Each structure stands twice: as C-alpha cells, then as structure tokens.
Amino acid sequence: KSYVYRNGEFFGQSPLSWYVESQKWAMSPGYDMPNHPGFSRKLSSECFFCHVGNIDQKEGNPNDFTIMEETVGCERCHGPGELHAKKYRNRQSSTLQLSDLATTTEDDTIVNPAKLKRELSEAICQQCHLQAAGKALRAGKDEWDFRPGTPLTDIRVDYQYRLGDDKMKIVGHVEQLHQSKCYQQTETLTCITCHNPHDTPSPENMAAHYRSICLDCHDNNACGEPLPKRMSTAKNDCAKCHMPKLDTEIPHTAFHHHRIGIHTAETDTQEVAVGLSPILDISSLTPLERDRCEALAKFQVGQEEPDNPNLKDYGLESAKALIQLKKSGKADSDANTILALLARSQGQPAIARDIATEVIEAEKRPTRPKIEALRLLAQLAYQSRKHEDAAKLYRQVTQYQSEAYDYFQLGISEQNSGQTERAITALKMAVELAPNYVEAHRVLAAILGSQGKPEESNKHQQLATQHEQRMKRLWQSAQPR
C-alpha cells in the first residue's frame, strides 16, 4: 500500500509504503537506492488510472485533476451505468418483480464480461493488469478513454521484448498466461475463469478453490507426480508447482507465475532483450499506425534504459518512422512532440523548435504533448541565452506541472532577465520540492547574499554543503569494494 500526498494542485507519492505480505514498512518501489528522490515523484492521471474509479481532468492537463471516485467501481468493468440504472428503476416502479429480472431478455444497457468474446473480456482486465515493457497511446487517445466491451488496442498498443531465441521475455501476467498450453488449447480460459472480482476465496479455501477450477479440464490422475508426493511437497495444491511464486523486481513482493505449466530453471530463464513486439493483435491497424506506435514505444523504452546496448538504435529508428509519418500528413501531437525531442537530441534545435511550436499551436488545452513541447521550447530558449523568452515559457510550464528542475531553470532565467524577486521565489520553490537540490541552494545563497540577506544566504549555503557531503558519502558507500 503506497501513499499519496497533495501539494497544491498536484499529487505525489510518499517514499514510504506498507508491504502487506511481509507486514513491514519500507521504501516504495523505485526508492530502494541510497540517493532516492524523496517526495519529488509526481503522479499524473496515468498513474491513478488503475487505482481510482474516476477523475475529473481539468482542461485536459494530466497533472491537474480531481479524484471523483476513490475506489475502482462497477463502471470500470461494466461500462457506463446510467442506462442500466434507469432501466431497472423503471422496472422497479412497474408491476415486474426484481426476482423476475434474471429471466428477462439479454440486457444491452450494461457490459457483462462473461458474455464477451475472450479478447474483449480480457481487455477489461488488461487495462490495468497488462504491465508491458513499453506502450504507445493511439493518436488523440488517453488512458481514460477505454470503455469495457471494446478492444484495448483502440486506445493503446503494449509491447514486450523479443528475445534472440524467439521466446518472449516474461514481463507480466498477460504475456505469461498467453504462453500457457492451457490457454492456447482452449478458447474459454481467460482471467475471470480463475478470478471472480466479486468473490475472492478466503486464504484457507484458496488452494481447494483454484484446484477445483483446474479439475474442470484436467483429470485428477493426470498429474505426473503420485498423490503421496504431491501431498508432501505441495499439499496437492496445483498452483504451487504449475504457477510457482516468484520474486519480482518490486522489493518485498512476489506473485504467482501465470505461465501455467512445468517450471524449471531452464524454462524460466530470462534472456537478454533485443527488440520489441506487440503483445496483442494489431492486425486491424494500418501499417502507418503500427509504425507510429512502435516508434513511440521504442522512444519510451530507450529513454528508460539509455545504457542498454540492445536499445542503442531505438532513437534513430523512432526518428525515421516519425519523419515518414509526418511526411504522410498524418502526424498527431504526441508523435510530433517525440519527433521534436529526438531532433533536439540529434543536434537539430531549429527543427525541434519548429515542430514543438506546431504542437503548441495545434493543442488548445494543456495536454501532455503541449506541456512537453512548452518545456522543450523553454530549454531551447535557455540554451540560446534568450532569458526573457525562457522565463516566459517556464512560467507556463510551472502552471501545468510541479517539477523542481523547471523551477530552477525558471529562477536562473528570471535572474538573468533582471527579475531578482521572481528568481528568489522560483528557486525557493525548487528547494521546497527537492530539499537536496544542491545547485539550487547555491544559486539562491548567491542571490540572497547580493541582496543584503546574509542570514538566509548562509542558511542555503550550509544546506548545499550538507547535502553535497551526504551524497558524496552515499556514492562512496555504494561503490564495490
């Protein structure tokens, strides 16, 4: 259980979490390092997608929203319920008894996952439980656009690593289940075959509950191990052998392997990744749409693992595909923003500036691509020493998101534009968001000293020295001996 805090209009994640299985407080996932980011991890609407029922996203800004439904509710699996509720309110007011409703005709006012085709039923679970290596939102779509009963690929395309031996790297439950012979040899096995979201078995009944599901297809005597051995090693619990519990990359956490089968060290070896492939069927997409989605996913994965030698060409490959998309006249703001970022990284600031400006002109609301494009333009103005332009752009960026780096850059730009008081305000915000921001403390100390405020100046100089020494000690302790 990880905890959320709110600072003004924006949400963030606490660095401390409660791990239910081990019954311990410990650092949140991603904070398990000596110099963790403190309270600076911001949470966008994408982060909340799997954890709350609904939000009100203000003006399209993914960083500024109100949580309308704190827990995941009925509509996340069954779709909008207004027509359904209206239908049954009308029936209740008539002479028809509620006990008769189950025998009436098929209800087309609500989605019943059990009545859907397998891929559409699974999409409802996959909207949250498909944790892929990379993903790309379709043009003009947002995570919250998904509706039960429709293909997930209408909203996004998820990718996994392709291995050198043509096997798939195990990433999450969905990919694992799809590798299972149990899944491949039937058209009925799906997530809700085993997991009823309305009824979770108690811990003492769990083994028997899941075993009974296995025995719907498998004969009790079909297991290769004799009953006495099964009882001694696993208490005749099918999942212990065929869906063993494995450690995950998340500290203190383990989950059951969802590739149902016979597991050995050899079959569960994770290979080095050399490429991406879509997890779900995307044959309905045009070749141009497929290239676009793959380019966005490659950019994302390359950014997350910049030192991975297998991904060294992803930036160039993404750029080539997005250039072709732009030439076709079908580029969208998400694709253009990524192309602008790639142009800048490849030493083409003029092209980056032109494309980012195009995004800002196209996006009337503070959407994700517009915020990224504004930030890119601010950075380009800063690098060109156009301090007033940079300050103006960073002011817009900090209206839409709360990042210490942006406030630091704003502070420098304001100071270089002769706006000292604005600079002090921005730099104080930077160190409030990131108290160990050494450079921000130092600049703030210098400006305050020049303004005849020695006490404040000394305070920030001392903080800069303390944090620098602390980080140096942490770095030295982390070095191999």
Side-chain angles (χ1 to χ4, degrees):
K1 295 182 179 180
S2 204
Y3 294 84
V4 173
Y5 68 87
R6 185 161 190 167
N7 184 12
E9 298 174 337
F10 305 108
F11 292 93
Q13 182 187 9
S14 164
L16 195 65
S17 289
W18 172 253
Y19 290 85
V20 177
E21 189 163 329
S22 60
Q23 293 287 292
K24 290 180 180 178
W25 290 98
M27 303 307 291
S28 299
Y31 285 86
D32 51 326
M33 58 187 74
N35 189 29
H36 61 78
F39 281 85
S40 61
R41 178 183 286 172
K42 300 300 179 292
L43 300 178
S44 68
S45 59
E46 179 185 359
C47 303
F48 281 88
F49 179 65
C50 298
H51 300 280
V52 303
N54 203 1
I55 64 168
D56 176 21
Q57 197 167 315
K58 300 172 186 175
E59 298 184 348
N61 185 350
N63 304 306
D64 185 8
F65 51 90
T66 300
I67 298 173
M68 306 300 291
E69 185 182 20
E70 290 190 356
T71 56
V72 174
C74 308
E75 292 186 335
R76 290 301 293 277
C77 296
H78 296 285
E82 182 181 3
L83 292 177
H84 182 71
K86 183 178 180 180
K87 175 179 180 178
Y88 284 94
R89 274 198 296 265
N90 291 342
R91 289 192 176 188
Q92 280 181 279
S93 62
S94 69
T95 56
L96 185 66
Q97 299 297 311
L98 284 175
S99 58
D100 297 328
L101 296 181
T103 61
T104 59
T105 58
E106 189 94 1
D107 186 354
D108 60 358
T109 65
I110 201 74
V111 174
N112 183 348
K115 303 288 187 182
L116 296 173
K117 293 180 181 178
R118 178 159 75 167
E119 61 270 21
L120 296 181
S121 173
E122 286 186 324
I124 294 170
C125 304
Q126 289 165 356
Q127 64 176 308
C128 289
H129 291 276
L130 177 50
Q131 299 292 327
K135 73 174 183 181
L137 288 168
R138 297 287 301 279
K141 297 296 183 180
D142 181 86
E143 292 86 359
W144 291 88
D145 290 330
F146 175 75
R147 292 293 178 268
T150 62
L152 185 61
T153 51
D154 283 356
I155 306 301
R156 72 176 203 241
V157 177
D158 295 88
Y159 293 84
Q160 61 193 347
Y161 286 126
R162 173 74 67 178
L163 303 185
D165 59 2
D166 208 36
K167 292 180 181 178
M168 296 294 181
K169 179 182 178 183
I170 294 167
V171 177
H173 293 169
V174 174
E175 303 95 305
Q176 291 170 356
L177 181 62
H178 287 186
Q179 290 176 335
S180 307
K181 288 185 178 180
C182 289
Y183 182 89
Q184 296 168 357
Q185 294 179 6
T186 178
E187 294 182 359
T188 58
L189 175 61
T190 186
C191 309
I192 56 177
T193 302
C194 301
H195 300 290
N196 181 349
H198 302 138
D199 182 23
T200 302
S202 62
E204 59 271 18
N205 295 325
M206 198 166 286
H209 169 78
Y210 290 118
R211 177 174 168 76
S212 70
I213 295 171
C214 296
L215 293 178
D216 284 341
C217 293
H218 296 277
D219 185 88
N220 189 37
N221 298 317
C223 182
E225 298 290 350
L227 180 61
K229 185 173 181 179
R230 299 201 309 259
M231 292 299 296
S232 64
T233 58
K235 296 184 179 179
N236 209 22
D237 179 354
C238 305
K240 277 197 174 178
C241 292
H242 299 292
M243 299 179 69
K245 226 173 188 183
L246 301 174
D247 290 334
T248 72
E249 67 276 12
I250 301 174
H252 321 290
T253 304
F255 62 63
H256 282 282
H257 201 307
H258 273 57
R259 183 181 64 77
I260 308 165
I262 298 172
H263 291 263
T264 64
E266 182 178 342
T267 60
D268 290 335
T269 298
Q270 296 193 13
E271 304 283 346
V272 177
V274 294
L276 291 179
S277 61
I279 297 170
L280 304 178
D281 179 17
I282 58 170
S283 58
S284 61
L285 275 63
T286 67
L288 199 62
E289 288 173 323
R290 292 179 217 170
D291 290 345
R292 172 200 174 273
C293 290
E294 184 175 315
L296 266 60
K298 282 184 173 180
F299 175 81
Q300 177 199 342
V301 171
Q303 291 290 300
E304 291 177 356
E305 298 188 46
D307 298 325
N308 188 332
N310 297 306
L311 314 178
K312 62 183 176 64
D313 296 326
Y314 272 16
L316 186 59
E317 291 170 10
S318 297
K320 287 180 179 178
L322 294 176
I323 289 169
Q324 291 303 313
L325 181 69
K326 191 160 187 60
K327 286 181 177 179
S328 74
K330 296 185 178 180
D332 57 282
S333 291
D334 276 311
N336 275 337
T337 301
I338 300 302
L339 185 56
L341 291 168
L342 286 165
R344 181 203 173 192
S345 69
Q346 293 169 15
Q348 301 289 339
I351 295 174
R353 187 179 297 108
D354 289 345
I355 299 174
T357 301
E358 182 183 334
V359 171
I360 291 169
E361 290 174 351
E363 295 292 303
K364 305 306 179 186
R365 302 184 302 153
T367 57
R368 186 173 3 221
K370 181 170 184 173
I371 295 170
E372 282 297 319
L374 278 170
R375 197 170 193 237
L376 175 57
L377 286 176
Q379 292 169 350
L380 291 171
Y382 181 88
Q383 290 170 355
S384 300
R385 300 181 183 275
K386 296 179 180 178
H387 303 301
E388 290 186 9
D389 290 345
K392 181 180 177 181
L393 289 162
Y394 273 120
R395 278 186 226 121
Q396 292 182 68
V397 172
T398 54
Q399 286 178 5
Y400 302 139
Q401 66 180 26
S402 183
E403 298 288 347
Y405 174 81
D406 296 332
Y407 277 103
F408 175 74
Q409 295 292 97
L410 173 59
I412 299 293
S413 301
E414 296 282 25
Q415 178 66 9
N416 289 337
S417 302
Q419 300 292 333
T420 300
E421 289 304 316
R422 285 183 178 178
I424 291 171
T425 300
L427 290 165
K428 284 185 175 180
M429 190 64 185
V431 296
E432 180 181 324
L433 292 170
N436 62 347
Y437 203 148
V438 172
E439 195 60 29
H441 280 294
R442 281 191 175 141
V443 174
L444 194 51
I447 295 174
L448 289 168
S450 71
Q451 294 296 298
K453 299 177 180 179
E455 290 186 9
E456 275 195 272
S457 175
N458 289 337
K459 181 186 77 171
H460 286 286
Q461 187 59 53
Q462 289 172 7
L463 286 168
T465 302
Q466 290 171 11
H467 288 302
E468 184 177 43
Q469 291 174 346
R470 173 181 170 273
M471 285 192 289
K472 186 176 180 180
R473 288 195 300 271
L474 289 171
W475 182 83
Q476 289 174 340
S477 65
Q479 298 307 301
R481 299 186 180 182

